[in-house]
Amino acid sequence: MAMNKKALAPQSKPAKKKGSSFGRGWRRYGWPVLRHMIVPLVCVLALFAGMSAGYVVLGDKPFSDVLEWNTWKHMIDLIFADS
């Protein structure tokens, strides 16, 4: 029995779609950057949430004071003040 040569020939690759390369660029550059930024971002958010909860719950102060710059400056001055 003779084999058909077309059946043994490798199949040609389908043509690539032409269009936006946003998906490839995002996966190649954006995801590694985002993956390396997740842990520091979560740490900063946890720090803010913990300090806010401590200020409001333990300090019995209003939450609106947490969002003011003077409050944070005062806390930083208290923490890093020279004794």
Side-chain angles (χ1 to χ4, degrees), residues 18-82:
K18 291 186 178 183
S20 174
S21 63
F22 176 74
R24 285 190 313 241
W26 168 252
R27 281 183 296 228
R28 185 169 185 180
Y29 300 112
W31 179 244
V33 170
L34 181 65
R35 190 175 63 211
H36 286 87
M37 290 177 60
I38 287 176
V39 172
L41 182 65
V42 168
C43 288
V44 168
L45 290 175
L47 177 69
F48 178 75
M51 289 180 77
S52 300
Y55 187 77
V56 172
V57 175
L58 298 176
D60 292 327
K61 304 288 182 175
F63 182 75
S64 61
D65 286 350
V66 171
L67 302 176
E68 293 182 13
W69 171 249
N70 289 334
T71 304
W72 293 97
K73 186 176 180 315
H74 179 68
M75 282 198 277
I76 291 171
D77 290 342
L78 287 174
I79 293 170
F80 296 107
D82 292 333

